């Protein structure tokens, strides 16, 4: 499947959002998710990088 550059960025954004929001859903799968301090820092850094790279589009 061919995706445009914008579509590729969108997929990255959706993946980060899904990963970061899993712990608050508390469904059968995600209720056991926990994030270490380092994992939380990584997610924050990814979001900051996305905002930097895509700030013009947001």
């Amino acid at each position: 499947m061919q995706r445009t550059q914008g579509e590729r960025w969108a997929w990255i954004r959706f993946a980060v959002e899904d990963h970061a929001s899993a712990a608050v859903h508390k469904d059968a799968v995600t209720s056991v998710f926990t994030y270490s301090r380092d994992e939380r820092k990584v997610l924050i850094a990814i979001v900051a990088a996305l905002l930097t790279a895509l700030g013009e589009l947001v």
Side-chain angles (χ1 to χ4, degrees):
M1 169 186 270
Q2 294 293 321
R3 293 189 181 112
T4 66
Q5 185 175 4
E7 290 170 331
R8 290 170 186 256
W9 281 117
W11 278 99
I12 293 169
R13 193 211 126 227
F14 291 136
V16 172
E17 181 180 352
D18 286 347
H19 189 67
S21 65
V24 297
H25 287 145
K26 300 297 183 194
D27 59 29
V29 174
T30 62
S31 63
V32 296
F33 283 24
T34 59
Y35 295 95
S36 70
R37 181 176 179 84
D38 285 340
E39 288 172 318
R40 292 189 305 263
K41 287 166 49 177
V42 167
L43 286 170
I44 291 168
I46 291 169
V47 170
L50 284 170
L51 287 171
T52 299
L54 305 176
E56 299 165 1
L57 303 175
V58 177

Coordinates of all heavy atoms in Angstrom, one line a residue:
M1 N 0.8 -1.2 0.0 CA 0.0 0.0 0.0 C 0.9 1.2 0.0 O 1.8 1.4 0.8 CB -0.9 0.0 1.2 CG -1.6 1.3 1.5 SD -2.5 1.4 3.0 CE -4.1 0.8 2.4
Q2 N 0.6 2.1 -0.9 CA 1.4 3.4 -1.0 C 0.7 4.5 -0.1 O -0.5 4.7 -0.3 CB 1.5 3.8 -2.4 CG 2.2 2.9 -3.3 CD 3.7 2.9 -2.9 OE1 4.3 3.9 -2.6 NE2 4.3 1.8 -3.0
R3 N 1.4 5.1 0.7 CA 0.9 6.2 1.6 C 1.6 7.5 1.3 O 2.8 7.4 1.1 CB 1.0 5.8 3.0 CG 0.1 4.7 3.5 CD 0.2 4.6 5.0 NE -0.6 3.5 5.4 CZ -0.2 2.4 6.0 NH1 1.1 2.2 6.2 NH2 -1.0 1.4 6.3
T4 N 0.9 8.6 1.3 CA 1.6 9.9 1.2 C 2.4 10.1 2.5 O 2.2 9.5 3.5 CB 0.5 11.0 1.0 OG1 -0.2 11.1 2.2 CG2 -0.4 10.7 -0.1
Q5 N 3.2 11.2 2.4 CA 4.0 11.5 3.6 C 3.1 11.9 4.7 O 3.3 11.5 5.9 CB 4.9 12.7 3.2 CG 5.8 13.1 4.3 CD 6.8 14.2 3.9 OE1 6.7 14.7 2.8 NE2 7.7 14.5 4.8
G6 N 2.0 12.7 4.4 CA 1.0 13.0 5.5 C 0.4 11.8 6.1 O 0.2 11.8 7.3
E7 N 0.0 10.8 5.3 CA -0.6 9.6 5.8 C 0.4 8.8 6.7 O 0.0 8.3 7.7 CB -1.1 8.8 4.6 CG -2.3 9.3 3.9 CD -2.6 8.6 2.6 OE1 -1.7 8.0 2.0 OE2 -3.8 8.6 2.2
R8 N 1.6 8.8 6.3 CA 2.6 8.1 7.1 C 2.7 8.8 8.5 O 2.8 8.1 9.5 CB 4.0 8.1 6.4 CG 4.0 7.2 5.2 CD 5.2 7.3 4.4 NE 5.1 6.5 3.2 CZ 5.8 5.4 3.0 NH1 6.6 4.9 3.9 NH2 5.6 4.7 1.9
W9 N 2.8 10.1 8.5 CA 2.8 10.8 9.8 C 1.6 10.5 10.6 O 1.6 10.4 11.8 CB 3.0 12.3 9.6 CG 4.4 12.8 9.3 CD1 4.9 13.3 8.1 CD2 5.6 12.6 10.1 NE1 6.2 13.6 8.2 CE2 6.7 13.2 9.4 CE3 5.8 12.1 11.4 CZ2 7.9 13.2 10.0 CZ3 7.1 12.2 11.9 CH2 8.1 12.7 11.2
A10 N 0.4 10.5 10.0 CA -0.8 10.2 10.7 C -0.8 8.8 11.3 O -1.2 8.7 12.5 CB -2.0 10.3 9.7
W11 N -0.3 7.8 10.6 CA -0.2 6.5 11.2 C 0.8 6.5 12.4 O 0.5 5.8 13.4 CB 0.3 5.5 10.1 CG -0.8 5.0 9.3 CD1 -1.1 5.5 8.0 CD2 -1.7 4.0 9.6 NE1 -2.2 4.8 7.5 CE2 -2.6 3.9 8.5 CE3 -2.0 3.2 10.7 CZ2 -3.7 3.0 8.4 CZ3 -3.0 2.3 10.7 CH2 -3.9 2.2 9.6
I12 N 1.9 7.2 12.3 CA 2.8 7.3 13.5 C 2.0 7.9 14.7 O 2.1 7.5 15.8 CB 4.0 8.1 13.2 CG1 4.9 7.3 12.1 CG2 4.8 8.4 14.4 CD1 6.0 8.1 11.5
R13 N 1.3 9.0 14.4 CA 0.6 9.7 15.4 C -0.5 8.8 16.1 O -0.6 8.7 17.3 CB -0.1 11.0 14.9 CG -0.7 11.9 15.9 CD -1.9 12.6 15.5 NE -2.9 12.3 16.4 CZ -4.2 12.0 16.2 NH1 -4.6 11.8 15.0 NH2 -5.0 11.8 17.1
F14 N -1.2 8.1 15.2 CA -2.2 7.2 15.8 C -1.6 6.1 16.6 O -2.2 5.7 17.7 CB -3.1 6.5 14.6 CG -4.0 7.5 13.9 CD1 -4.0 7.5 12.5 CD2 -4.7 8.4 14.6 CE1 -4.9 8.4 11.8 CE2 -5.6 9.3 13.9 CZ -5.6 9.3 12.6
A15 N -0.5 5.6 16.2 CA 0.2 4.5 17.0 C 0.6 5.0 18.3 O 0.4 4.3 19.4 CB 1.4 4.0 16.2
V16 N 1.2 6.2 18.4 CA 1.6 6.8 19.7 C 0.4 7.1 20.5 O 0.4 6.7 21.7 CB 2.4 8.1 19.4 CG1 2.7 8.8 20.8 CG2 3.7 7.8 18.7
E17 N -0.7 7.6 20.0 CA -1.9 7.9 20.7 C -2.5 6.6 21.3 O -2.9 6.5 22.5 CB -2.9 8.5 19.9 CG -4.2 8.9 20.6 CD -5.3 9.6 19.7 OE1 -4.9 9.9 18.6 OE2 -6.4 9.7 20.2
D18 N -2.6 5.5 20.5 CA -3.1 4.2 21.0 C -2.2 3.7 22.1 O -2.7 3.2 23.1 CB -3.1 3.2 19.8 CG -4.2 3.5 18.8 OD1 -5.1 4.3 19.1 OD2 -4.2 2.8 17.8
H19 N -0.9 3.8 21.9 CA 0.0 3.2 23.0 C -0.2 4.0 24.3 O -0.2 3.5 25.3 CB 1.4 3.3 22.4 CG 2.4 2.5 23.3 ND1 2.3 1.2 23.5 CD2 3.4 3.0 24.1 CE1 3.3 0.8 24.4 NE2 3.9 1.9 24.8
A20 N -0.2 5.3 24.1 CA -0.2 6.2 25.3 C -1.6 6.1 26.0 O -1.6 6.3 27.3 CB 0.1 7.6 24.9
S21 N -2.6 5.9 25.3 CA -4.0 5.9 26.0 C -4.4 4.6 26.4 O -5.5 4.5 27.1 CB -5.0 6.5 25.0 OG -5.2 5.7 23.9
A22 N -3.7 3.6 26.2 CA -4.1 2.2 26.6 C -4.3 2.1 28.1 O -5.3 1.4 28.5 CB -3.1 1.2 26.1
A23 N -3.5 2.6 28.9 CA -3.6 2.4 30.3 C -4.9 3.0 30.9 O -5.4 2.6 31.9 CB -2.4 3.0 31.0
V24 N -5.4 4.0 30.3 CA -6.7 4.6 30.8 C -7.9 4.0 30.4 O -9.0 4.2 30.9 CB -6.7 6.2 30.5 CG1 -5.6 6.9 31.1 CG2 -6.8 6.4 29.0
H25 N -7.9 3.1 29.4 CA -9.1 2.4 28.9 C -9.5 1.3 29.8 O -10.7 1.1 29.9 CB -8.8 1.8 27.5 CG -8.7 2.8 26.4 ND1 -7.9 2.7 25.4 CD2 -9.4 4.0 26.3 CE1 -8.1 3.8 24.6 NE2 -8.9 4.6 25.1
K26 N -8.7 0.7 30.5 CA -9.0 -0.3 31.5 C -9.9 -1.4 31.0 O -10.8 -1.9 31.7 CB -9.6 0.3 32.7 CG -8.7 1.3 33.4 CD -7.4 0.6 34.0 CE -6.6 1.6 34.7 NZ -5.2 1.1 35.0
D27 N -9.7 -1.8 29.7 CA -10.5 -2.9 29.2 C -9.8 -4.2 29.5 O -8.8 -4.2 30.2 CB -10.8 -2.8 27.7 CG -9.5 -2.7 26.9 OD1 -8.5 -3.3 27.3 OD2 -9.6 -2.1 25.8
A28 N -10.3 -5.4 29.0 CA -9.7 -6.7 29.4 C -8.2 -6.8 29.1 O -7.5 -7.4 29.8 CB -10.5 -7.8 28.7
V29 N -7.8 -6.2 28.0 CA -6.4 -6.3 27.6 C -5.6 -5.2 28.3 O -4.5 -5.5 28.8 CB -6.3 -6.1 26.0 CG1 -4.8 -6.1 25.6 CG2 -7.0 -7.3 25.3
T30 N -6.0 -4.0 28.3 CA -5.2 -2.9 28.7 C -5.2 -2.6 30.2 O -4.5 -1.8 30.7 CB -5.6 -1.6 28.0 OG1 -6.9 -1.2 28.3 CG2 -5.4 -1.7 26.5
S31 N -6.1 -3.3 30.9 CA -6.2 -3.0 32.4 C -4.9 -3.4 33.1 O -4.7 -2.9 34.2 CB -7.4 -3.8 33.0 OG -7.2 -5.2 32.8
V32 N -4.1 -4.2 32.5 CA -2.9 -4.6 33.2 C -1.7 -3.8 32.7 O -0.6 -4.0 33.2 CB -2.6 -6.1 33.0 CG1 -3.7 -7.0 33.7 CG2 -2.5 -6.5 31.5
F33 N -1.9 -2.9 31.8 CA -0.8 -2.1 31.3 C -0.3 -1.1 32.4 O -1.1 -0.5 33.1 CB -1.2 -1.2 30.1 CG -1.3 -2.0 28.8 CD1 -1.6 -3.3 28.7 CD2 -1.3 -1.3 27.6 CE1 -1.7 -4.0 27.5 CE2 -1.4 -2.0 26.4 CZ -1.6 -3.3 26.4
T34 N 1.0 -1.1 32.5 CA 1.6 -0.1 33.4 C 2.8 0.5 32.6 O 3.3 -0.1 31.7 CB 2.1 -0.6 34.7 OG1 3.1 -1.7 34.4 CG2 1.0 -1.2 35.6
Y35 N 3.2 1.7 32.9 CA 4.3 2.3 32.2 C 5.3 2.8 33.3 O 5.0 3.4 34.3 CB 3.8 3.6 31.5 CG 2.9 3.2 30.3 CD1 1.5 3.3 30.5 CD2 3.4 2.8 29.1 CE1 0.7 2.9 29.5 CE2 2.5 2.5 28.1 CZ 1.2 2.5 28.3 OH 0.4 2.2 27.2
S36 N 6.6 2.4 33.0 CA 7.7 2.8 33.9 C 7.9 4.3 33.7 O 7.4 4.9 32.7 CB 8.9 2.0 33.6 OG 9.5 2.4 32.3
R37 N 8.7 4.9 34.6 CA 9.1 6.3 34.4 C 9.8 6.5 33.1 O 9.5 7.5 32.4 CB 10.0 6.7 35.6 CG 10.4 8.2 35.6 CD 11.2 8.5 36.8 NE 11.6 9.9 36.8 CZ 10.9 10.9 37.2 NH1 9.6 10.7 37.6 NH2 11.4 12.1 37.1
D38 N 10.7 5.6 32.7 CA 11.4 5.8 31.5 C 10.5 5.7 30.3 O 10.6 6.4 29.3 CB 12.5 4.8 31.3 CG 13.7 5.1 32.2 OD1 13.9 6.3 32.6 OD2 14.5 4.2 32.5
E39 N 9.5 4.7 30.3 CA 8.5 4.6 29.2 C 7.7 5.9 29.1 O 7.4 6.4 28.0 CB 7.6 3.4 29.4 CG 8.3 2.1 29.2 CD 7.5 0.9 29.6 OE1 6.8 0.9 30.7 OE2 7.5 -0.1 28.8
R40 N 7.3 6.5 30.2 CA 6.5 7.7 30.2 C 7.3 8.8 29.6 O 6.8 9.6 28.8 CB 6.0 8.1 31.6 CG 5.0 7.1 32.1 CD 4.3 7.5 33.4 NE 5.2 7.8 34.5 CZ 5.6 7.0 35.5 NH1 5.0 5.8 35.5 NH2 6.4 7.4 36.4
K41 N 8.6 8.9 30.0 CA 9.5 9.9 29.4 C 9.6 9.7 27.9 O 9.7 10.7 27.1 CB 10.8 9.9 30.1 CG 10.8 10.4 31.5 CD 12.0 10.1 32.4 CE 13.3 10.4 31.9 NZ 14.4 10.1 32.8
V42 N 9.7 8.5 27.4 CA 9.9 8.2 26.0 C 8.6 8.7 25.3 O 8.7 9.4 24.2 CB 10.1 6.7 25.7 CG1 9.9 6.4 24.3 CG2 11.5 6.4 26.2
L43 N 7.4 8.4 25.8 CA 6.2 8.8 25.2 C 6.1 10.4 25.1 O 5.7 10.9 24.1 CB 5.0 8.2 25.9 CG 4.7 6.8 25.7 CD1 3.7 6.2 26.6 CD2 4.3 6.5 24.2
I44 N 6.5 11.0 26.2 CA 6.5 12.5 26.2 C 7.5 13.0 25.1 O 7.2 14.0 24.4 CB 6.9 13.0 27.6 CG1 5.7 12.7 28.5 CG2 7.2 14.5 27.5 CD1 6.1 13.0 30.0
A45 N 8.6 12.4 25.0 CA 9.6 12.8 24.0 C 9.1 12.6 22.6 O 9.3 13.4 21.7 CB 10.9 12.1 24.2
I46 N 8.4 11.5 22.4 CA 7.9 11.2 21.0 C 6.8 12.3 20.7 O 6.8 12.8 19.6 CB 7.3 9.8 21.0 CG1 8.4 8.7 21.0 CG2 6.4 9.6 19.7 CD1 7.9 7.3 21.2
V47 N 5.9 12.6 21.6 CA 4.9 13.6 21.4 C 5.6 14.9 21.1 O 5.2 15.7 20.2 CB 3.9 13.7 22.5 CG1 3.0 14.9 22.4 CG2 3.1 12.4 22.6
A48 N 6.6 15.3 21.9 CA 7.3 16.6 21.6 C 7.9 16.6 20.3 O 7.9 17.6 19.6 CB 8.3 16.8 22.7
A49 N 8.5 15.5 19.9 CA 9.1 15.4 18.5 C 8.1 15.5 17.4 O 8.3 16.2 16.4 CB 9.9 14.1 18.4
L50 N 7.0 14.9 17.6 CA 5.9 15.0 16.6 C 5.4 16.4 16.5 O 5.1 16.9 15.4 CB 4.7 14.0 16.9 CG 5.0 12.6 16.6 CD1 3.9 11.7 17.2 CD2 5.1 12.3 15.1
L51 N 5.2 17.1 17.6 CA 4.7 18.5 17.6 C 5.8 19.4 16.9 O 5.4 20.3 16.2 CB 4.5 19.0 19.0 CG 3.2 18.4 19.7 CD1 3.1 18.8 21.1 CD2 2.0 18.8 18.9
T52 N 7.0 19.1 17.1 CA 8.1 19.9 16.5 C 8.1 19.6 15.0 O 8.1 20.6 14.2 CB 9.5 19.5 17.0 OG1 9.5 19.8 18.4 CG2 10.6 20.2 16.4
A53 N 8.0 18.4 14.6 CA 8.0 18.0 13.2 C 6.8 18.4 12.4 O 6.8 18.8 11.3 CB 8.3 16.5 13.0
L54 N 5.6 18.4 13.1 CA 4.3 18.6 12.4 C 3.6 19.8 12.9 O 2.5 20.0 12.6 CB 3.4 17.4 12.7 CG 4.0 16.0 12.2 CD1 3.1 14.9 12.6 CD2 4.3 16.0 10.7
G55 N 4.3 20.7 13.7 CA 3.7 21.8 14.3 C 3.0 22.7 13.2 O 2.0 23.3 13.6
E56 N 3.5 22.8 12.1 CA 2.9 23.6 11.0 C 1.5 23.0 10.6 O 0.7 23.7 10.1 CB 3.8 23.7 9.8 CG 5.1 24.3 10.1 CD 6.2 24.1 9.0 OE1 5.8 23.4 8.0 OE2 7.3 24.5 9.2
L57 N 1.4 21.7 10.7 CA 0.1 21.1 10.3 C -0.9 21.0 11.4 O -2.1 20.8 11.1 CB 0.4 19.6 9.8 CG 1.5 19.5 8.7 CD1 1.7 18.1 8.5 CD2 0.9 20.2 7.5
V58 N -0.5 21.2 12.7 CA -1.4 21.1 13.8 C -2.2 22.4 14.0 O -1.8 23.4 13.8 CB -0.7 20.7 15.1 CG1 -1.6 20.6 16.3 CG2 0.0 19.4 14.9

